[in-house]
Every structure is written in C-alpha cells, then in structure tokens.
Amino acid sequence: MLIRIEKGSSVPISKQLAEQIAAQCAAGRLQPGDRVPSVRELARELAVNQNTVLRVYERLTGEGLLERRHGQGTFVAKTAGKKAAAAHEKRLVEELRQLARQAQGLGLSSNELHGLLAQAWEQLGAETQQNEEAHH
C-alpha cells in the first residue's frame, strides 16, 4: 500500500491518510479481503503517531471500508470498493467546488482553472512515476 503524507500540508495527516486509503479502495488498488498494514507498521513507515493511524482505521471501519478481525489484523471490507468510490467522489466534488470558488475569487476564468488543474495532474503523474521507480 503506497501512501504519501505531506507533513507541511495544511491538510491534517489523518485526513490525508483516510483519503488515500479510500481512494485506493475506490480505484481497486486495494481489493476486498486485502490485509492492510498494522497500526504499528503503518505508523512506523509513515513516521506518524500510532494513535493517528488507529483513529483513521477506526473511522474507515465505521464507514464500512475496513474490517477488523480479532487476532488477524485489519482488512479491506467486501463492499469497500463501491462504498469508497461513492464517498470519495462526493468528497472530490465538494473539494472541486471549493477550488472553483477560490478561482472565482481570484478572477480566474474556467479555462485558466482547467489549465492549472491539467498542470497539477501532470506534476502528480511525474511524482507518482518517481515514487514507483524509487520503490523498485
């Protein structure tokens, strides 16, 4: 499970973590039945507090994306893909509305906003490729 936390971001670490796990479920990169890293493992890997990871896992369990099996660990729930896709799309639409409002406030046109989004998309693709190469 590839997760990237931006510690300098204004987005809380718990939100970054929850959104990335949900996005991976929605995209099918995490499949129902897949075991996710333990709280301790993921906290160590990301250099974040274990309580942060625990709260995220508990929240995603409550949302039906993860399920905890006593003595076995935490797994992607059977219905996670559909639930995650719907919830993730809803959050994405709201975030896009907020970005559109900010762009309007700055006097940007729709085309200018599309250009900025395309630029950000390209940068993300380059970053993802670099991360994948670094992990291989």
Side-chain angles (χ1 to χ4, degrees), residues 9-117:
S9 171
S10 62
V11 178
I13 290 172
S14 59
K15 185 173 183 179
Q16 291 180 51
L17 181 56
E19 287 180 351
Q20 288 184 52
I21 292 171
Q24 289 187 33
C25 289
R29 285 189 294 276
L30 283 175
Q31 295 286 318
D34 284 354
R35 185 181 180 280
V36 296
S38 72
V39 168
R40 183 176 291 142
E41 290 169 342
L42 190 56
R44 188 177 336 115
E45 181 182 322
L46 300 175
V48 300
N49 190 296
Q50 289 184 27
N51 288 325
T52 301
V53 177
L54 180 61
R55 283 195 311 271
V56 168
Y57 278 13
E58 288 173 344
R59 183 176 130 210
L60 294 176
T61 299
E63 292 176 8
L65 299 182
L66 299 179
E67 58 186 31
R68 302 178 87 177
R69 300 179 193 162
H70 187 70
Q72 293 183 320
T74 305
F75 296 81
V76 178
K78 288 176 180 55
T79 58
K82 292 177 185 175
K83 287 182 180 181
H88 195 67
E89 186 173 323
K90 184 177 177 182
R91 282 193 301 267
L92 181 61
V93 168
E94 182 52 39
E95 289 178 19
L96 288 170
R97 277 194 198 108
Q98 291 174 4
L99 284 173
R101 276 198 278 296
Q102 290 175 13
Q104 267 186 333
L106 292 171
L108 296 176
S109 70
S110 174
N111 285 339
E112 290 169 320
L113 179 57
H114 282 106
L116 290 173
L117 180 58

